[in-house]
Amino acid sequence: MRSTMQTPPLLISQILTYGTRLFAESEVVTWTAEGPRRTTFGELGQDCARLANALRRLGIDGDQRVATFMWNNVEHLALYLTAPSMGAVLHALNIRLFPEQLVYVANHAEDEIVVVDNSLAAPFSKLLPHLKSVRHVIVNGPLPEETREALAAAGPEVHDYRTLLDAEDATFEWPQLDENDGAAMCYTSGTTGNPKGVVYSHRSNYLHTMQLCMTSTLGMSHLDRVLAVVPMFPANAWGLPYAALMSGASIVMPDRFLQAEPLARMIESERVTSAGAVPTIWLDLLHYLDAQADAGTPVDVSSLERAIVGGSACPPQLMRDFETRHGVHVLHAWGMTEMSPLGTVAKPPAGVTGEEAWRYRETQGRLAPLVEGRLVGPGGEEVPWDGESVGELEVRGPWITASYYLAPGEEPDAESLAKFDDGWLRTGDVGSLTPDGFLRLTDRAKDVIKSGGEWISSVDLENALMAHPKVREASVVGVPDERWGERPLATVVIEPGQTVTADELRDFLRGKVADWQLPERWAFIDEVPKTSVGKFDKKVLRRRYAEGEYEVTTTA
Ligand code: ADP
């Protein structure tokens, strides 16, 4: 029997029209040097229509790529909503990628229009001569004449965002599209070779957005004021922009003000209820809040109900310090670009309290509905969900990519093909699953330390080290060892004004990890190098060690 149900396509334009009409009074707050700039969802809806008319006039009449080179702000949100809704494909460029990678992805995606923040126009003008398919550059905000000339000298027409919009009607008929058509694309950093692109569909984004509004995951609602610290270029901004529109949550956009001090001010003055960022950002914020409290000028973060942490493993100590010192509940989540990105959220089962609840909260979380997972052991066999057996996690589901984007005529390379296993995506993440679906990651497959045929989790060592009160940051990588193949090198950043020795740290780890896993190589460094999205950059750590840049202390 066929169902009697209607089958409207699931489109971004529905999220846009629903949010801007039914929650017309919710607001987008963009941070500026002069303080907050406010736009209601109602006004945003009108700007989306104007933007669509303007983009049509510039020749966007199909699935051309409309790229952004922007911070998180209301104009970027307008593009997130408008480009897909009119049938084009949004490509948010990662402003922190190396220039050669940026040139590669913009050419690979064949970006035709790039919308650039004025604060980023100068660096962008250096890239522009290398971007082959770009016909128009739209600049958001006023621009010095010499930067405008530098952009124009590269060939494309240069426009002012506001001037373009002001010339247009505030209504637009959003087209009926195929829900499986591309809505937005995102490139992940390739471990070797070039970055790989995934193309989200309207349907995948729509379903992913609904998931973010479920209470068993992020539970976003119209009562929220969400601070999107996570930039809008990697990993689909964790889906927060679309979820704000679907749920009616007001959204606070930090633009380029990503340091702890302005973030704390945003939380305090905008009464932020929920915020998403990588652990390094939260760590900086924690130190700032501590320092302000010590100085007798505490920041009022009492509105913050959920600090959502993902992108890399959240050190358990960070969670506990936020909760005990500032009353902020930290929610751990895991995902990846290829998964739109959300895969798991760590909310303990019903009835679980105290230390047992912490144990659940410290995991990456429970698999979200519609995200199927399986663990594959080293020999290719599936390993059981017993909370102990470890394997590489493979996933599948309606917001998980089935392949990487290929430019016309391009063939997939071996690395891309190896990411897929009979309809499942190989995540490259290694860990265990409990019988009720809680994922505990022990490492990325490429970071796990292979010592004498056994695996050492670099993440376990890092978490244990970062629980030491005098340790600010710690990252552990495997380095070559004659006897064991590989052994851990612990790189440690000490809290300013403190001292601690390698022997003391080794003693501190004893009992927290097995004795044979204790590092014997230690390097005290000023800062752990970070990737473009603020994760510990282990490639750089390994290289610096290999090139003898670190002074290494050896413990017995
Ligand atoms: P990149 O590979 O460039 O870092 P992504 O942003 O897609 O790109 O990163 C996804 C990866 O980040 C995951 O495969 C996982 O290794 C790591 N990750 C994300 N969230 C967590 C988390 N909560 N705990 C541990 N690792 C995480």
Side-chain angles (χ1 to χ4, degrees):
M1 185 189 282
R2 290 282 288 174
S3 82
T4 60
M5 291 295 108
Q6 302 181 7
T7 54
L10 308 179
L11 301 177
I12 302 291
S13 56
Q14 291 167 330
I15 300 179
L16 161 59
T17 48
Y18 177 80
T20 57
R21 181 168 182 196
L22 281 78
F23 296 102
E25 298 308 314
S26 296
E27 58 175 2
V28 189
V29 180
T30 303
W31 212 251
T32 74
E34 289 82 44
R37 181 159 65 93
R38 298 178 192 282
T39 316
T40 65
F41 278 14
E43 290 162 346
L44 173 66
Q46 295 191 349
D47 263 359
C48 289
R50 292 190 185 101
L51 178 59
N53 285 315
L55 292 175
R56 279 272 190 271
R57 215 176 284 285
L58 297 181
I60 300 298
D61 54 6
D63 65 355
Q64 294 98 341
R65 265 62 79 200
V66 175
T68 56
F69 197 76
M70 302 175 89
W71 303 105
N72 290 13
N73 50 41
V74 66
E75 289 78 16
H76 204 171
L77 182 60
L79 278 142
Y80 245 68
L81 294 163
T82 305
S85 294
M86 65 189 290
V89 177
L90 176 88
H91 178 200
L93 290 161
N94 180 347
I95 59 175
R96 300 210 180 97
L97 276 188
F98 291 116
E100 15 345 329
Q101 285 186 319
L102 271 167
V103 169
Y104 171 83
V105 299
N107 287 335
H108 191 257
E110 299 171 276
D111 296 339
E112 287 201 18
I113 291 188
V114 187
V115 187
V116 188
D117 275 332
N118 60 349
S119 55
L120 296 167
F124 180 73
S125 69
K126 304 214 167 57
L127 297 173
L128 189 55
H130 308 282
L131 308 187
K132 298 185 202 129
S133 45
V134 176
R135 297 186 294 112
H136 296 278
V137 174
I138 302 175
V139 183
N140 179 30
L143 203 61
E145 196 45 43
E146 72 262 24
T147 318
R148 168 177 283 273
E149 280 165 17
L151 291 171
E157 267 184 64
V158 182
H159 312 265
D160 173 66
Y161 180 88
R162 204 63 247 177
T163 312
L164 271 188
L165 265 62
D166 284 347
E168 300 293 344
D169 268 359
T171 55
F172 186 85
E173 183 115 4
W174 303 105
Q176 280 299 303
L177 304 166
D178 180 334
E179 64 176 12
N180 287 308
D181 278 350
M185 59 196 306
C186 211
Y187 283 77
T188 173
S189 54
T191 49
T192 55
N194 286 316
K196 311 247 178 293
V198 301
V199 184
Y200 307 119
S201 66
H202 286 262
R203 176 187 158 84
S204 70
N205 264 329
Y206 196 103
L207 293 171
H208 180 260
T209 306
M210 294 194 77
Q211 179 225 191
L212 293 193
C213 301
M214 295 176 61
T215 37
S216 63
T217 67
L218 302 189
M220 277 183 59
S221 88
H222 62 291
L223 304 176
D224 274 312
R225 295 178 64 82
V226 180
L227 173 62
V229 187
V230 51
M232 288 165 82
F233 41 81
N236 204 18
W238 296 3
L240 298 179
Y242 296 141
L245 269 290
M246 188 182 272
S247 67
S250 286
I251 185 161
V252 181
M253 299 293 211
D255 201 84
R256 57 185 201 280
F257 303 95
L258 295 168
Q259 307 72 24
E261 194 256 313
L263 291 178
R265 262 201 295 147
M266 287 172 221
I267 295 170
E268 183 172 54
S269 64
E270 292 300 323
R271 307 302 297 157
V272 164
T273 60
S274 149
V278 293
T280 46
I281 296 259
W282 287 115
L283 201 60
D284 283 349
L285 192 62
L286 176 69
H287 290 304
Y288 178 78
L289 296 179
D290 286 348
Q292 291 302 112
D294 291 346
T297 49
V299 183
D300 178 5
V301 290
S302 58
S303 60
L304 191 58
E305 291 160 17
R306 269 159 295 143
I308 307 159
V309 186
S312 43
C314 179
Q317 195 63 39
L318 175 69
M319 287 191 182
R320 294 192 188 227
D321 288 349
F322 254 111
E323 189 140 321
T324 52
R325 296 193 205 148
H326 304 287
V328 173
H329 183 98
V330 174
L331 185 59
H332 195 194
W334 162 86
M336 54 197 299
T337 302
E338 290 88 335
M339 302 177 67
S340 298
L342 202 77
T344 62
V345 181
K347 291 195 171 172
V352 172
T353 54
E355 272 307 305
E356 201 189 348
W358 275 111
R359 274 201 297 282
Y360 278 104
R361 289 179 52 192
E362 290 167 6
T363 68
Q364 272 61 29
R366 202 194 305 245
L367 289 169
L370 299 185
V371 175
E372 282 183 83
R374 69 176 184 188
L375 293 170
V376 178
E381 76 291 356
E382 242 188 277
V383 305
W385 293 24
D386 57 11
E388 284 178 8
S389 308
V390 168
E392 179 178 357
L393 179 69
E394 299 190 350
V395 289
R396 65 179 183 192
W399 52 82
I400 298 171
T401 198
S403 64
Y404 289 108
Y405 170 69
L406 296 171
E410 188 187 11
E411 293 291 326
D413 60 17
E415 192 194 7
S416 305
L417 290 173
K419 286 291 286 184
F420 301 94
D421 176 13
D422 193 23
W424 296 77
L425 169 75
R426 293 196 167 107
T427 62
D429 288 326
V430 173
S432 59
L433 281 162
T434 59
D436 50 355
F438 279 83
L439 173 68
R440 202 182 94 82
L441 289 184
T442 48
D443 240 322
R444 283 187 145 186
K446 58 177 190 279
D447 293 332
V448 82
I449 302 159
K450 300 183 185 85
S451 171
E454 302 268 6
W455 285 4
I456 301 177
S457 159
S458 64
V459 174
D460 285 353
L461 286 170
E462 286 163 3
N463 286 345
L465 280 168
M466 282 192 277
H468 191 287
K470 292 182 181 169
V471 173
R472 190 177 189 107
E473 277 181 344
S475 184
V476 179
V477 290
V479 296
D481 180 273
E482 262 184 28
R483 172 140 181 239
W484 301 103
E486 252 180 26
R487 289 293 298 161
L489 162 76
T491 63
V492 178
V493 181
I494 302 176
E495 287 286 356
Q498 302 282 1
T499 49
V500 67
T501 65
D503 284 315
E504 281 167 43
L505 290 177
R506 200 173 142 96
D507 285 344
F508 178 76
L509 290 182
R510 230 178 270 282
K512 301 187 173 74
V513 297
D515 274 358
W516 64 270
Q517 303 191 344
L518 293 172
E520 41 290 294
R521 291 175 181 82
W522 299 80
F524 293 95
I525 61 178
D526 294 336
E527 196 190 354
V528 176
K530 313 275 180 352
T531 69
S532 67
V533 291
K535 306 186 187 194
F536 289 167
D537 198 333
K538 299 198 171 180
K539 257 194 303 205
V540 172
L541 278 174
R542 281 187 282 256
R543 196 192 62 226
R544 289 192 184 158
Y545 172 81
E547 289 172 356
E549 272 183 47
Y550 292 138
E551 194 177 316
V552 178
T553 310
T554 314
T555 50

